[in-house]
Amino acid sequence: MTPAVRRLPVAVMISGRGSNLAALIAAAADPAFPAEIALVVSDRADAGGLAHAAGARIATAIVERRFYPDKAAFDAAITARLEQAGVALVCLAGFMRVLSDAFVAHWHDRLINIHPSLLPAFPGLDTHARALAAGVRVHGCTVHFVRAEVDSGPIVAQAAVPVQDDDTAESLAARVLAEEHRLYPAALARIASRRFRIDGNRVLAAAPAAPAPG
Ligand code: GRF
């Protein structure tokens, strides 16, 4: 029998439909995938994506901002749930709240996000409409480590999508989303199997392992 691969326990944080969560769940269904989804956190009890977690029998934590006096207490409650679940890495996938600097610092180099543009172009919202308005010919998506400044941080992976003359924000969004569903599992696999090192703002190939002594 092949020995079981030690998989990195990760959490996925969502606020909405969770199509990226579904892509990550599908990838992690393969026992050879180097990460397992131990927990799904949502700040909304009605997030559509929670159904994907339930379908895959993944534990969920609903942490709603309105039950906490301030952002610091809300973020601390999320960290407590993540730590209870023994999570080693957190994947933001359409989590629609800006996390506090304290949260980002606590999860430094253990927190990644997917953003629907080729960062550093178009941080923030409405990226597809803004890409069309700017006239770029190439758009896409980015998986990056999270830093305090919104939609910044070392880039793990990007996928490019050509902009077509007849694109609307919706048609462009749909083509970018299809790339997101491919990119996020691939980026997570790379992080979870530790095939990288972070050098300033860059994510580089891991240094080759030192030769065994003797
Ligand atoms: C995606 O476009 C992602 O890039 C952005 O939020 C959206 C989430 O979509 N951060 P879904 O909930 O994964 O379907």
Side-chain angles (χ1 to χ4, degrees):
M1 214 172 90
T2 353
V5 192
R6 232 186 105 245
R7 312 211 296 160
L8 193 76
V10 307
V12 183
M13 290 177 53
I14 62 167
S15 298
R17 74 191 156 179
S19 70
N20 278 289
L21 167 64
L24 294 173
I25 290 174
D30 177 350
F33 191 77
E36 65 168 320
I37 302 172
L39 182 70
V40 171
V41 175
S42 174
D43 65 325
R44 297 185 56 126
D46 63 352
L50 288 168
H52 296 303
R57 298 181 190 280
I58 296 170
T60 55
I62 293 162
V63 186
E64 290 182 86
R65 173 67 181 84
R66 66 194 166 113
F67 294 129
Y68 297 89
D70 53 34
K71 196 185 180 68
F74 170 70
D75 284 4
I78 295 177
T79 288
R81 299 301 295 266
L82 295 168
E83 288 184 340
Q84 239 168 37
V87 157
L89 179 80
V90 180
C91 305
L92 302 178
F95 187 74
M96 296 307 287
R97 286 177 187 278
V98 176
L99 292 155
S100 60
D101 290 359
F103 184 95
V104 172
H106 183 89
W107 292 98
H108 187 79
D109 290 351
R110 299 184 296 155
L111 178 62
I112 60 177
N113 179 46
I114 186 154
H115 180 77
S117 78
L118 291 173
L119 291 172
F122 312 118
L125 298 174
D126 298 326
T127 54
H128 309 300
R130 287 162 57 213
L132 285 179
V136 296
R137 299 309 310 182
V138 180
H139 186 44
C141 49
T142 303
V143 175
H144 64 99
F145 283 96
V146 174
R147 295 292 184 255
E149 195 186 327
V150 172
D151 296 328
S152 76
I155 291 172
V156 181
Q158 292 184 302
V161 168
V163 177
Q164 291 165 7
D165 286 358
D166 58 355
D167 261 331
T168 60
E170 291 69 33
S171 65
L172 190 52
R175 290 208 311 291
V176 171
L177 193 63
E179 286 302 313
E180 292 184 38
H181 296 162
R182 198 187 52 74
L183 190 71
Y184 213 175
L188 173 57
R190 181 175 175 214
I191 303 295
S193 53
R194 309 239 174 264
R195 294 194 310 267
F196 73 99
R197 68 193 159 93
I198 299 177
D199 180 6
N201 213 23
R202 303 179 73 199
V203 179
L204 304 172

